[in-house]
Amino acid sequence: MRAAEPAAAAGSEPLRWDIIELLFFAYRDFVGDADHELEAFGFGRAHHRVMHFVTRYPGLKVADLLDVLRITKQSLGRVLKQLLDEGYIVQKTGNNDRRQRLLFATPKGEALVAKLAGLQTRRIDRALEQVGPAGAEKVRQFLRAMIDRDDPDKVLEAIFRTPVAAAKE
Amino acid sequence: MRAAEPAAAAGSEPLRWDIIELLFFAYRDFVGDADHELEAFGFGRAHHRVMHFVTRYPGLKVADLLDVLRITKQSLGRVLKQLLDEGYIVQKTGNNDRRQRLLFATPKGEALVAKLAGLQTRRIDRALEQVGPAGAEKVRQFLRAMIDRDDPDKVLEAIFRTPVAAAKE
DNA sequence: AATTTATGTCAGCCATATTGACGTTTCTGC
DNA sequence: GCAGAAACGTCAATATGGCTGACATAAATT
Protein backbone atom coordinates (compact mmCIF):
# COMPACT_ATOMS: atom_id res chain seq x y z
CA MET A 1 0.00 0.00 0.00
CA ARG A 2 1.24 3.43 -0.97
CA ALA A 3 -0.04 6.66 0.49
CA ALA A 4 -1.73 8.97 -1.99
CA GLU A 5 -1.26 12.70 -1.88
CA PRO A 6 -4.66 14.27 -2.45
CA ALA A 7 -4.54 17.24 -4.74
CA ALA A 8 -3.68 20.30 -2.69
CA ALA A 9 -5.35 23.59 -3.41
CA ALA A 10 -3.41 25.29 -6.17
CA GLY A 11 -0.50 27.29 -4.86
CA SER A 12 -0.61 26.02 -1.29
CA GLU A 13 2.37 24.68 0.60
CA PRO A 14 2.74 20.92 1.00
CA LEU A 15 0.63 19.31 3.67
CA ARG A 16 2.26 17.54 6.58
CA TRP A 17 0.60 14.17 6.06
CA ASP A 18 3.42 12.32 7.74
CA ILE A 19 3.30 14.25 11.01
CA ILE A 20 -0.49 14.30 11.02
CA GLU A 21 -0.63 10.52 10.86
CA LEU A 22 2.26 9.96 13.24
CA LEU A 23 0.48 12.13 15.81
CA PHE A 24 -2.70 10.11 15.38
CA PHE A 25 -1.04 6.74 15.91
CA ALA A 26 1.35 7.93 18.60
CA TYR A 27 -1.45 9.45 20.65
CA ARG A 28 -3.70 6.42 20.12
CA ASP A 29 -1.11 4.06 21.56
CA PHE A 30 -0.05 6.55 24.23
CA VAL A 31 -3.51 6.83 25.75
CA GLY A 32 -4.09 3.14 25.08
CA ASP A 33 -1.59 2.29 27.80
CA ALA A 34 -3.73 3.99 30.41
CA ASP A 35 -7.05 2.92 28.94
CA HIS A 36 -6.33 -0.77 29.42
CA GLU A 37 -5.39 -0.28 33.05
CA LEU A 38 -8.40 1.95 33.75
CA GLU A 39 -10.80 -0.76 32.63
CA ALA A 40 -9.84 -2.81 35.67
CA PHE A 41 -11.06 0.04 37.88
CA GLY A 42 -14.26 0.66 35.98
CA PHE A 43 -12.96 4.08 35.02
CA GLY A 44 -12.63 5.77 31.65
CA ARG A 45 -10.40 8.32 30.08
CA ALA A 46 -12.42 11.12 31.63
CA HIS A 47 -11.64 9.88 35.13
CA HIS A 48 -7.97 9.68 34.28
CA ARG A 49 -7.80 13.25 33.04
CA VAL A 50 -9.50 14.58 36.17
CA MET A 51 -7.35 12.53 38.51
CA HIS A 52 -4.19 13.43 36.67
CA PHE A 53 -4.60 17.17 36.90
CA VAL A 54 -5.89 17.13 40.46
CA THR A 55 -2.90 15.04 41.49
CA ARG A 56 -0.40 17.18 39.67
CA TYR A 57 -1.88 20.54 40.68
CA PRO A 58 -3.23 20.05 44.20
CA GLY A 59 -5.82 22.56 45.27
CA LEU A 60 -7.14 23.05 41.77
CA LYS A 61 -10.56 24.69 41.78
CA VAL A 62 -13.50 23.17 39.92
CA ALA A 63 -13.49 26.14 37.56
CA ASP A 64 -9.80 25.63 36.77
CA LEU A 65 -10.44 22.01 35.92
CA LEU A 66 -13.23 23.02 33.57
CA ASP A 67 -10.82 25.36 31.76
CA VAL A 68 -8.17 22.70 31.39
CA LEU A 69 -10.42 19.89 30.27
CA ARG A 70 -12.67 22.13 28.18
CA ILE A 71 -15.83 20.33 29.18
CA THR A 72 -18.99 21.57 30.86
CA LYS A 73 -19.52 21.39 34.59
CA GLN A 74 -22.35 18.94 34.05
CA SER A 75 -19.97 16.52 32.36
CA LEU A 76 -17.33 17.04 34.98
CA GLY A 77 -19.89 16.68 37.76
CA ARG A 78 -20.70 13.08 37.02
CA VAL A 79 -17.09 11.95 36.83
CA LEU A 80 -15.98 14.01 39.81
CA LYS A 81 -18.79 12.64 41.98
CA GLN A 82 -17.67 9.10 41.30
CA LEU A 83 -14.07 9.92 42.16
CA LEU A 84 -15.15 11.63 45.38
CA ASP A 85 -17.48 8.78 46.35
CA GLU A 86 -14.82 6.17 45.75
CA GLY A 87 -12.18 8.06 47.69
CA TYR A 88 -9.75 9.02 44.95
CA ILE A 89 -10.23 12.74 45.46
CA VAL A 90 -11.27 14.98 48.35
CA GLN A 91 -12.68 18.51 48.41
CA LYS A 92 -11.70 21.25 50.83
CA THR A 93 -13.46 24.56 51.17
CA GLY A 94 -11.30 27.48 50.06
CA ASN A 95 -9.68 29.53 52.81
CA ASN A 96 -10.03 32.94 51.24
CA ASP A 97 -13.16 32.22 49.28
CA ARG A 98 -15.46 29.76 50.96
CA ARG A 99 -17.46 29.22 47.79
CA GLN A 100 -14.58 27.38 46.21
CA ARG A 101 -14.12 23.62 46.46
CA LEU A 102 -10.41 22.94 46.20
CA LEU A 103 -9.60 19.48 44.92
CA PHE A 104 -6.90 17.15 46.24
CA ALA A 105 -5.97 13.60 45.39
CA THR A 106 -5.96 11.04 48.20
CA PRO A 107 -3.02 8.64 48.52
CA LYS A 108 -5.24 6.11 46.73
CA GLY A 109 -5.73 8.58 43.92
CA GLU A 110 -2.07 9.49 43.72
CA ALA A 111 -1.12 5.84 43.54
CA LEU A 112 -3.39 5.24 40.57
CA VAL A 113 -2.17 8.31 38.72
CA ALA A 114 1.45 7.34 39.35
CA LYS A 115 0.77 3.84 38.07
CA LEU A 116 -0.76 5.14 34.85
CA ALA A 117 2.00 7.69 34.40
CA GLY A 118 4.49 4.86 34.86
CA LEU A 119 3.07 2.99 31.89
CA GLN A 120 3.16 6.08 29.72
CA THR A 121 6.65 6.96 30.93
CA ARG A 122 7.96 3.61 29.78
CA ARG A 123 6.71 4.31 26.28
CA ILE A 124 8.09 7.86 26.31
CA ASP A 125 11.50 6.73 27.62
CA ARG A 126 11.74 4.14 24.89
CA ALA A 127 10.96 6.79 22.29
CA LEU A 128 13.29 9.42 23.73
CA GLU A 129 16.15 6.95 23.73
CA GLN A 130 15.92 6.99 19.95
CA VAL A 131 16.60 10.71 19.74
CA GLY A 132 19.11 11.38 22.49
CA PRO A 133 19.08 14.21 25.07
CA ALA A 134 19.30 16.98 22.48
CA GLY A 135 16.49 15.35 20.53
CA ALA A 136 14.39 15.18 23.67
CA GLU A 137 14.65 18.94 24.03
CA LYS A 138 13.65 19.36 20.40
CA VAL A 139 10.62 17.20 21.05
CA ARG A 140 9.67 19.33 24.06
CA GLN A 141 10.08 22.51 22.04
CA PHE A 142 7.97 21.09 19.26
CA LEU A 143 5.16 19.98 21.54
CA ARG A 144 5.10 23.32 23.34
CA ALA A 145 4.88 25.16 20.06
CA MET A 146 1.92 23.00 19.05
CA ILE A 147 -0.13 24.38 21.96
CA ASP A 148 -2.32 27.48 21.71
CA ARG A 149 -0.98 30.21 23.94
CA ASP A 150 -3.78 32.71 23.73
CA ASP A 151 -5.96 32.58 26.80
CA PRO A 152 -3.96 29.93 28.70
CA ASP A 153 -5.54 28.35 31.76
CA LYS A 154 -3.79 28.08 35.10
CA VAL A 155 -2.21 24.73 34.34
CA LEU A 156 -0.85 25.84 30.99
CA GLU A 157 0.59 28.96 32.59
CA ALA A 158 2.46 26.74 35.01
CA ILE A 159 3.75 24.57 32.19
CA PHE A 160 4.94 27.51 30.14
CA ARG A 161 6.67 29.11 33.09
CA THR A 162 9.11 26.21 33.08
CA PRO A 163 11.79 27.21 30.59
CA VAL A 164 12.96 24.72 27.97
CA ALA A 165 16.63 23.89 28.22
CA ALA A 166 18.69 25.84 25.70
CA ALA A 167 19.13 23.80 22.54
CA LYS A 168 22.73 22.70 22.13
CA GLU A 169 22.96 22.59 18.42
CA MET B 1 0.56 27.44 40.58
CA ARG B 2 3.35 24.89 40.89
CA ALA B 3 3.13 21.33 39.66
CA ALA B 4 3.40 18.73 42.39
CA GLU B 5 5.34 15.54 41.88
CA PRO B 6 3.27 12.72 43.36
CA ALA B 7 5.33 10.21 45.27
CA ALA B 8 6.70 7.64 42.85
CA ALA B 9 6.92 4.00 43.81
CA ALA B 10 10.16 3.46 45.71
CA GLY B 11 13.08 2.71 43.42
CA SER B 12 11.34 3.62 40.18
CA GLU B 13 12.70 5.98 37.58
CA PRO B 14 11.33 9.52 37.35
CA LEU B 15 8.01 9.91 35.59
CA ARG B 16 7.78 12.00 32.44
CA TRP B 17 5.14 14.40 33.68
CA ASP B 18 6.26 17.13 31.31
CA ILE B 19 5.97 15.10 28.13
CA ILE B 20 2.73 13.47 29.29
CA GLU B 21 1.10 16.87 29.73
CA LEU B 22 2.59 18.39 26.62
CA LEU B 23 1.19 15.52 24.59
CA PHE B 24 -2.24 16.06 26.11
CA PHE B 25 -2.37 19.77 25.32
CA ALA B 26 -0.67 19.49 21.94
CA TYR B 27 -3.08 16.81 20.78
CA ARG B 28 -6.07 18.67 22.18
CA ASP B 29 -5.28 21.77 20.18
CA PHE B 30 -4.17 19.79 17.14
CA VAL B 31 -7.50 17.97 16.77
CA GLY B 32 -9.33 21.12 17.83
CA ASP B 33 -8.37 22.75 14.53
CA ALA B 34 -10.31 20.14 12.60
CA ASP B 35 -13.13 19.85 15.10
CA HIS B 36 -14.19 23.46 14.67
CA GLU B 37 -14.30 23.16 10.91
CA LEU B 38 -16.17 19.85 11.01
CA GLU B 39 -19.01 21.38 12.98
CA ALA B 40 -19.96 23.42 9.95
CA PHE B 41 -20.49 20.19 8.01
CA GLY B 42 -22.39 18.40 10.76
CA PHE B 43 -19.58 15.91 11.03
CA GLY B 44 -17.55 14.74 14.01
CA ARG B 45 -14.10 13.44 14.64
CA ALA B 46 -15.15 9.97 13.57
CA HIS B 47 -16.07 11.19 10.10
CA HIS B 48 -12.75 12.95 9.80
CA ARG B 49 -10.75 9.86 10.65
CA VAL B 50 -12.60 7.74 8.11
CA MET B 51 -12.33 10.36 5.38
CA HIS B 52 -8.70 10.97 6.10
CA PHE B 53 -7.56 7.39 5.75
CA VAL B 54 -9.77 6.67 2.75
CA THR B 55 -8.37 9.74 1.01
CA ARG B 56 -4.80 8.96 1.82
CA TYR B 57 -4.97 5.24 1.07
CA PRO B 58 -7.41 4.90 -1.85
CA GLY B 59 -8.91 1.48 -2.28
CA LEU B 60 -8.76 0.70 1.44
CA LYS B 61 -11.02 -2.23 2.33
CA VAL B 62 -13.59 -1.95 5.08
CA ALA B 63 -11.66 -4.51 7.10
CA ASP B 64 -8.46 -2.45 6.78
CA LEU B 65 -10.23 0.60 8.04
CA LEU B 66 -11.52 -1.33 11.04
CA ASP B 67 -7.94 -2.34 11.88
CA VAL B 68 -6.64 1.20 11.61
CA LEU B 69 -9.41 2.86 13.57
CA ARG B 70 -9.77 0.02 16.07
CA ILE B 71 -13.53 0.25 16.20
CA THR B 72 -16.28 -2.27 15.42
CA LYS B 73 -17.92 -2.53 12.05
CA GLN B 74 -21.21 -1.41 13.59
CA SER B 75 -19.62 1.83 14.73
CA LEU B 76 -17.92 2.31 11.40
CA GLY B 77 -21.13 1.44 9.57
CA ARG B 78 -23.06 4.41 10.84
CA VAL B 79 -20.39 6.92 9.98
CA LEU B 80 -19.50 5.34 6.66
CA LYS B 81 -23.14 5.27 5.57
CA GLN B 82 -23.44 9.01 6.11
CA LEU B 83 -20.28 9.69 4.13
CA LEU B 84 -21.50 7.48 1.26
CA ASP B 85 -24.97 9.03 1.28
CA GLU B 86 -23.59 12.55 1.23
CA GLY B 87 -21.15 11.80 -1.55
CA TYR B 88 -17.82 12.13 0.24
CA ILE B 89 -16.83 8.52 -0.38
CA VAL B 90 -17.69 5.87 -2.98
CA GLN B 91 -17.43 2.08 -2.88
CA LYS B 92 -16.19 -0.13 -5.69
CA THR B 93 -16.41 -3.90 -5.76
CA GLY B 94 -13.01 -5.58 -5.54
CA ASN B 95 -11.57 -6.94 -8.79
CA ASN B 96 -9.99 -10.10 -7.43
CA ASP B 97 -12.41 -10.63 -4.60
CA ARG B 98 -15.89 -9.41 -5.38
CA ARG B 99 -16.92 -9.55 -1.72
CA GLN B 100 -14.72 -6.60 -0.91
CA ARG B 101 -15.94 -3.02 -1.01
CA LEU B 102 -12.96 -0.85 -1.81
CA LEU B 103 -13.31 2.71 -0.57
CA PHE B 104 -12.39 5.85 -2.46
CA ALA B 105 -12.81 9.53 -1.65
CA THR B 106 -14.73 11.66 -4.14
CA PRO B 107 -13.33 15.07 -5.17
CA LYS B 108 -15.71 16.54 -2.59
CA GLY B 109 -14.25 14.24 0.03
CA GLU B 110 -10.68 14.99 -0.97
CA ALA B 111 -11.32 18.69 -0.78
CA LEU B 112 -12.61 18.47 2.77
CA VAL B 113 -9.71 16.32 3.91
CA ALA B 114 -7.21 18.68 2.30
CA LYS B 115 -8.84 21.65 3.99
CA LEU B 116 -8.64 20.04 7.40
CA ALA B 117 -5.07 18.90 6.80
CA GLY B 118 -4.27 22.48 5.80
CA LEU B 119 -5.34 23.78 9.19
CA GLN B 120 -3.31 21.17 11.00
CA THR B 121 -0.34 21.73 8.72
CA ARG B 122 -0.27 25.39 9.62
CA ARG B 123 0.06 24.49 13.28
CA ILE B 124 2.70 21.84 12.58
CA ASP B 125 4.74 24.17 10.37
CA ARG B 126 4.71 26.81 13.07
CA ALA B 127 5.95 24.26 15.60
CA LEU B 128 8.59 22.74 13.33
CA GLU B 129 10.02 26.19 12.62
CA GLN B 130 10.99 26.30 16.28
CA VAL B 131 13.19 23.25 16.01
CA GLY B 132 14.76 23.46 12.58
CA PRO B 133 15.12 20.70 9.96
CA ALA B 134 17.27 18.46 12.15
CA GLY B 135 14.77 18.93 14.98
CA ALA B 136 11.95 17.99 12.65
CA GLU B 137 13.61 14.66 11.97
CA LYS B 138 14.03 14.12 15.70
CA VAL B 139 10.35 14.77 16.16
CA ARG B 140 9.48 12.22 13.46
CA GLN B 141 11.78 9.66 15.02
CA PHE B 142 10.24 10.26 18.41
CA LEU B 143 6.67 9.94 17.18
CA ARG B 144 7.46 6.77 15.26
CA ALA B 145 9.05 5.23 18.30
CA MET B 146 5.91 6.02 20.33
CA ILE B 147 3.85 3.72 18.11
CA ASP B 148 3.33 0.02 18.79
CA ARG B 149 4.93 -2.03 16.05
CA ASP B 150 3.66 -5.48 16.92
CA ASP B 151 0.78 -6.45 14.66
CA PRO B 152 0.81 -3.36 12.46
CA ASP B 153 -2.14 -2.80 10.13
CA LYS B 154 -1.76 -2.03 6.42
CA VAL B 155 -1.58 1.71 6.93
CA LEU B 156 1.07 1.49 9.62
CA GLU B 157 3.12 -0.83 7.45
CA ALA B 158 3.06 1.81 4.73
CA ILE B 159 4.11 4.49 7.19
CA PHE B 160 6.98 2.46 8.58
CA ARG B 161 8.22 1.52 5.13
CA THR B 162 9.11 5.17 4.59
CA PRO B 163 12.58 5.54 6.08
CA VAL B 164 13.33 8.47 8.37
CA ALA B 165 16.04 10.76 7.08
CA ALA B 166 19.40 10.12 8.67
CA ALA B 167 19.89 12.44 11.64
CA LYS B 168 22.52 15.06 10.91
CA GLU B 169 23.82 15.68 14.37
C1' DA C 1 -21.74 -29.19 -1.02
C1' DA C 2 -20.18 -27.27 3.16
C1' DT C 3 -17.77 -23.78 5.31
C1' DT C 4 -15.51 -19.58 5.88
C1' DT C 5 -14.85 -14.73 4.80
C1' DA C 6 -16.23 -9.87 3.92
C1' DT C 7 -19.64 -7.07 4.54
C1' DG C 8 -24.08 -5.09 6.05
C1' DT C 9 -27.74 -4.42 9.36
C1' DC C 10 -31.07 -4.61 13.34
C1' DA C 11 -31.65 -3.83 18.23
C1' DG C 12 -30.15 -2.29 22.43
C1' DC C 13 -26.69 -0.56 25.85
C1' DC C 14 -23.08 2.57 27.84
C1' DA C 15 -19.88 6.51 28.42
C1' DT C 16 -19.17 11.02 27.68
C1' DA C 17 -20.22 14.98 25.89
C1' DT C 18 -23.85 18.85 25.09
C1' DT C 19 -27.60 22.88 26.33
C1' DG C 20 -30.85 25.05 29.30
C1' DA C 21 -32.82 25.95 33.66
C1' DC C 22 -32.78 26.54 38.45
C1' DG C 23 -31.03 26.76 43.44
C1' DT C 24 -27.64 27.72 47.23
C1' DT C 25 -23.97 29.77 49.31
C1' DT C 26 -20.78 33.32 49.52
C1' DC C 27 -18.32 37.29 48.02
C1' DT C 28 -18.21 42.15 46.17
C1' DG C 29 -19.60 46.78 45.11
C1' DC C 30 -22.39 50.53 46.08
C1' DG D 1 -27.14 46.20 54.36
C1' DC D 2 -28.59 44.85 50.10
C1' DA D 3 -28.33 43.80 45.13
C1' DG D 4 -25.97 41.36 42.09
C1' DA D 5 -22.45 38.38 40.59
C1' DA D 6 -19.64 34.38 41.18
C1' DA D 7 -18.64 29.39 42.33
C1' DC D 8 -20.67 25.45 42.57
C1' DG D 9 -24.28 21.72 42.39
C1' DT D 10 -28.08 19.43 40.12
C1' DC D 11 -32.20 18.10 37.20
C1' DA D 12 -33.77 16.96 32.57
C1' DA D 13 -33.30 16.10 27.89
C1' DT D 14 -30.37 15.15 23.90
C1' DA D 15 -26.38 13.77 20.73
C1' DT D 16 -22.30 11.25 19.49
C1' DG D 17 -19.60 7.53 19.14
C1' DG D 18 -18.24 3.71 21.09
C1' DC D 19 -19.85 -1.37 22.45
C1' DT D 20 -22.11 -6.51 22.21
C1' DG D 21 -24.96 -10.00 20.15
C1' DA D 22 -27.53 -11.83 16.52
C1' DC D 23 -28.55 -12.59 11.96
C1' DA D 24 -28.37 -12.18 6.58
C1' DT D 25 -26.15 -12.33 2.10
C1' DA D 26 -22.91 -12.96 -1.37
C1' DA D 27 -18.72 -14.73 -2.81
C1' DA D 28 -14.60 -17.32 -2.09
C1' DT D 29 -12.40 -21.52 -0.40
C1' DT D 30 -11.95 -26.28 0.73
Side-chain angles (χ1 to χ4, degrees):
Chain A
M1 172 168 304
R2 288 245 311 95
E5 305 255 337
S12 70
E13 351 69 72
L15 299 173
R16 298 281 189 188
W17 296 112
D18 58 343
I19 307 266
I20 290 172
E21 292 179 0
L22 287 173
L23 276 170
F24 170 78
F25 289 110
Y27 196 77
R28 181 187 72 174
D29 291 345
F30 168 69
V31 295
D33 288 339
D35 285 348
H36 298 317
E37 188 65 29
L38 284 161
E39 266 184 51
F41 291 81
F43 288 155
R45 221 173 269 183
H47 301 84
H48 184 198
R49 291 194 291 255
V50 171
M51 295 256 313
H52 173 96
F53 287 109
V54 169
T55 303
R56 280 272 295 166
Y57 303 91
L60 212 56
K61 289 185 297 177
V62 170
D64 295 332
L65 207 39
L66 292 177
D67 282 347
V68 174
L69 302 181
R70 300 227 182 125
I71 57 175
T72 57
K73 67 179 166 175
Q74 293 84 340
S75 294
L76 176 59
R78 211 173 7 95
V79 171
L80 192 53
K81 193 170 188 313
Q82 276 182 273
L83 293 172
L84 290 165
D85 288 348
E86 301 188 30
Y88 288 86
I89 284 178
V90 290
Q91 288 181 327
K92 294 184 186 169
T93 300
N95 290 326
N96 307 328
D97 188 335
R98 291 172 38 82
R99 288 173 303 181
Q100 298 171 347
R101 300 298 139 82
L102 309 184
L103 303 171
F104 297 87
T106 62
K108 188 178 170 184
E110 284 195 5
L112 177 53
V113 168
K115 184 173 189 177
L116 297 173
L119 295 175
Q120 297 182 322
T121 294
R122 248 185 272 165
R123 180 181 298 273
I124 292 168
D125 281 344
R126 245 187 357 228
L128 288 182
E129 276 171 25
Q130 304 291 310
V131 297
E137 275 315 310
K138 292 295 188 188
V139 168
R140 283 192 186 86
Q141 285 179 357
F142 168 77
L143 291 175
R144 279 170 168 250
M146 286 286 287
I147 300 171
D148 287 331
R149 304 211 40 174
D150 44 293
D151 188 32
D153 52 59
K154 275 194 166 182
V155 168
L156 269 182
E157 271 179 21
I159 288 176
F160 281 116
R161 260 205 301 279
T162 311
V164 274
K168 306 170 192 167
E169 237 183 316
Chain B
M1 173 167 306
R2 284 244 314 95
E5 307 253 340
S12 70
E13 350 68 75
L15 298 174
R16 298 280 188 188
W17 297 112
D18 57 344
I19 307 268
I20 289 172
E21 291 178 3
L22 288 173
L23 275 170
F24 171 79
F25 288 110
Y27 196 77
R28 180 188 72 174
D29 291 344
F30 167 70
V31 296
D33 288 339
D35 286 347
H36 299 318
E37 189 64 29
L38 284 161
E39 266 183 52
F41 292 82
F43 289 153
R45 224 173 268 183
H47 300 85
H48 184 196
R49 290 195 290 253
V50 171
M51 297 255 314
H52 173 95
F53 286 110
V54 169
T55 303
R56 279 272 296 166
Y57 303 91
L60 213 56
K61 289 185 298 176
V62 171
D64 294 332
L65 205 41
L66 293 177
D67 281 348
V68 174
L69 302 180
R70 298 217 184 138
I71 58 176
T72 58
K73 68 178 166 177
Q74 293 89 335
S75 295
L76 176 59
R78 259 182 321 195
V79 172
L80 191 53
K81 193 169 187 317
Q82 276 182 272
L83 293 172
L84 289 166
D85 289 348
E86 301 188 30
Y88 289 86
I89 284 179
V90 289
Q91 288 181 326
K92 294 183 185 168
T93 300
N95 289 327
N96 307 329
D97 188 334
R98 291 169 41 82
R99 289 171 303 181
Q100 298 173 348
R101 302 298 139 83
L102 308 185
L103 303 171
F104 297 87
T106 63
K108 188 177 171 186
E110 283 195 5
L112 177 52
V113 168
K115 186 173 188 179
L116 298 173
L119 295 174
Q120 296 182 322
T121 293
R122 246 186 273 163
R123 181 181 297 274
I124 292 169
D125 281 343
R126 248 187 355 231
L128 288 182
E129 275 170 27
Q130 304 292 310
V131 297
E137 275 314 311
K138 291 294 187 189
V139 167
R140 284 192 187 86
Q141 286 180 357
F142 169 76
L143 290 175
R144 279 170 168 251
M146 286 287 286
I147 301 171
D148 286 330
R149 303 212 39 177
D150 44 293
D151 190 33
D153 51 60
K154 275 194 167 185
V155 169
L156 270 182
E157 271 179 21
I159 290 176
F160 280 117
R161 258 206 300 280
T162 311
V164 277
K168 309 169 192 171
E169 239 184 317

